[in-house]
Amino acid sequence: MAILCFGRSIKINFADWLQECGEDLWLISAAPQFPFQHHYRYVRQLDSLDAGENVLAIATELARSATFSRVLPHSEFDLIRAAQLREYLDIPGQSVASACAYRDKVLMKDYLQHAGMEVAPYKRLTSWSDVLSFCEQYDFPNVIKPIDGCSSKDVMVARNLSDIVDFFRDKTVDGWMIEKFIAGNMYHVNGVINENGEAFFAPCAYINNALDYQHAGIFGSRTIEPDTLLAKRLVTFTRRTIEALPPTPALGFHAEIFHTADDRLLLCEIAARTAGSLTGELIEHTWGINIHKAWIQSCAGMANALNIRASPREYAASIRVPVRTARLLTLPNVIPFDWVYTLCLSGRVGQTYEQATTYTDDVVSAMITGSSDAELNEHIRQFTDWLNDTIRWQA
């Protein structure tokens, strides 16, 4: 027997994490040097995993010479094709119905409405008249986004109809949705539910909001104290959201949730994969669990218990300074505080950048710690002030 893996990120170390499963590993990858690459029985490197039906054509051909017991994606963009392959090969794992419900944000909210959960007004766009009718019914601002996007990419907050006209000037509305803008703080809950039903939920908060990178604002996340009333509500809300969607044997999840000024919780969206950016690292620092590893092992049928600290070690935050339409003049060359436990400079002094297209387009990223919500928030304030004083741009 063998396990087929779809690899995009070198963070996902299938070969190391699945050593104990006792099956050959086969890999189709768009990453040039995947970790432990020569520990796989077979590796097929492609320029892209998104070119038409090439990945499924290759995978079904490989299935003629190998008997796959599992198909393991880790990227949101591979969930549906992996589910299609499972159903074609009649092997266990997430179904097409489940994968589509987590990928299609309109279908997702249809399920939540059917379960009696409040969602922001929304509509799948099939024609320009859909835009007009929605905007006549709901005052601006409204949000335009892909029905199957991720990482806040290509999301636009429209303040008036002219913004939407400009946005769709060179593209059709097919594949897009519109929804009412929700004012409030955004939180996210991340975790794993394994095949035994054991679950781990880590409530987190965004620093600023998930679209601030579009205006050169500092972006980040932080783990939060789990015993507050709000944290408990966020976890309960996420459980209800998962229960409203088609079930899957093992689930890694990343749920984004609005907390409004009148104390309501509304889902922004939920993904059937573990969190990107630096969230996994923050959770591992706080709780001692690698959620990516736990999810992949559970999807492979490994019945490992979720090893989690009984209480948080300390709380952690990630800070990213996005690129902007300007020339980068200076970067920091010291680590100013002992509670900064990693500082990564990815920018190039002297280079001219364009506006960020996603929150991972940065020149600086860092992770910092604090013993409580209050101390961590104070460290975030001190560190962002220092970054704003230290990093210089020329328009």
Side-chain angles (χ1 to χ4, degrees):
M1 302 291 280
I3 294 175
L4 178 62
C5 308
F6 295 147
R8 293 175 184 255
S9 169
I10 60 173
K11 281 187 180 182
I12 308 301
N13 196 340
F14 295 109
D16 183 34
W17 300 343
L18 301 180
Q19 286 185 66
E20 297 176 9
C21 73
E23 298 189 39
D24 290 337
L25 301 181
W26 293 50
L27 174 69
I28 300 176
S29 171
Q33 285 293 324
F34 217 73
F36 288 48
Q37 188 160 290
H38 292 94
H39 289 219
Y40 294 84
R41 181 73 181 273
Y42 175 96
V43 177
R44 179 71 175 270
Q45 290 185 348
L46 303 175
D47 292 334
S48 170
L49 301 188
D50 299 317
E53 301 294 345
N54 192 35
V55 170
L56 282 180
I58 292 171
T60 50
E61 185 62 30
L62 295 179
R64 298 179 186 276
S65 56
T67 302
F68 294 125
S69 65
R70 304 275 175 156
V71 178
L72 304 185
H74 67 82
S75 166
E76 198 160 358
F77 295 110
D78 296 319
L79 294 179
I80 292 177
R81 66 166 54 97
Q84 291 170 337
L85 186 59
R86 289 189 196 103
E87 293 195 358
Y88 176 73
L89 298 176
D90 192 26
I91 57 179
Q94 186 178 34
S95 67
V96 172
S98 173
C100 288
Y102 280 93
R103 285 293 291 134
D104 184 322
K105 302 177 197 313
V106 174
L107 181 59
M108 175 193 303
K109 295 190 177 186
D110 289 345
Y111 275 106
L112 266 62
Q113 273 196 329
H114 183 72
M117 297 181 68
E118 182 185 5
V119 296
Y122 65 97
K123 190 177 186 65
R124 187 188 302 273
L125 297 180
T126 60
S127 68
W128 185 248
S129 61
D130 289 335
V131 174
L132 298 178
S133 62
F134 189 92
C135 294
E136 288 166 0
Q137 185 174 2
Y138 301 103
D139 293 336
F140 288 96
N142 291 317
V143 177
I144 301 289
K145 64 183 182 182
I147 62 170
D148 59 354
C150 74
S151 302
S152 301
K153 188 174 182 180
D154 298 323
V155 177
M156 190 268 290
V157 178
R159 305 293 175 181
N160 49 55
L161 187 59
S162 295
D163 287 346
I164 303 180
V165 171
D166 289 342
F167 186 81
F168 285 113
R169 192 173 300 281
D170 59 355
K171 51 182 168 289
T172 70
V173 299
D174 292 336
W176 297 84
M177 67 179 291
I178 187 169
E179 63 183 355
K180 187 74 185 80
F181 176 82
I182 300 299
N185 296 322
M186 184 176 279
Y187 293 83
H188 52 113
V189 179
N190 309 276
V192 179
I193 302 174
N194 67 18
E195 287 193 333
N196 299 327
E198 188 182 5
F200 167 69
F201 291 76
C204 302
Y206 282 119
I207 298 167
N208 298 330
N209 74 63
L211 297 180
D212 274 16
Y213 73 85
Q214 296 178 347
H215 312 289
I218 283 175
F219 171 79
S221 289
R222 59 185 176 90
T223 54
I224 64 175
E225 295 177 7
D227 294 327
T228 66
L229 178 59
L230 178 57
K232 291 178 179 179
R233 287 178 61 199
L234 290 166
V235 170
T236 298
F237 181 90
T238 305
R239 287 184 183 274
R240 288 186 61 205
T241 300
I242 292 169
E243 289 168 0
L245 297 172
T248 184
L251 179 68
F253 57 88
H254 170 63
E256 296 181 326
I257 303 164
F258 294 110
H259 182 220
T260 66
D262 57 356
D263 200 30
R264 292 176 298 145
L265 298 180
L266 286 86
L267 183 75
C268 175
E269 56 196 56
I270 184 171
R273 46 89 179 163
T274 46
S277 188
L278 296 170
T279 303
E281 287 86 340
L282 301 181
I283 290 171
E284 186 168 10
H285 186 88
T286 300
W287 292 103
I289 181 174
N290 183 325
I291 55 174
H292 310 302
K293 178 180 178 180
W295 175 45
I296 292 299
Q297 288 183 333
S298 187
C299 288
M302 298 172 67
N304 294 359
L306 299 179
N307 294 315
I308 308 153
R309 290 192 182 101
S311 59
R313 168 187 175 185
E314 60 184 350
Y315 300 95
S318 62
I319 305 289
R320 289 184 180 273
V321 180
V323 299
R324 61 187 68 182
T325 307
R327 183 169 175 260
L328 180 61
L329 298 181
T330 62
L331 283 172
N333 54 16
V334 297
I335 298 178
F337 310 107
D338 59 8
W339 35 260
V340 176
Y341 74 91
T342 182
L343 178 67
C344 177
L345 309 182
S346 54
R348 299 291 185 269
V349 171
Q351 183 170 327
T352 299
Y353 292 89
E354 300 298 327
Q355 177 182 305
T357 59
T358 182
Y359 54 69
T360 55
D361 293 340
D362 60 45
V363 295
V364 173
S365 61
M367 289 188 284
I368 65 178
T369 61
S371 61
S372 65
D373 279 350
E375 184 176 80
L376 183 58
N377 280 323
E378 175 58 22
H379 289 174
I380 291 168
R381 185 196 64 77
Q382 291 181 46
F383 188 62
T384 54
D385 286 348
W386 177 78
L387 288 173
N388 288 331
D389 289 340
T390 305
I391 301 171
R392 298 294 182 187
W393 299 88
Q394 181 182 59

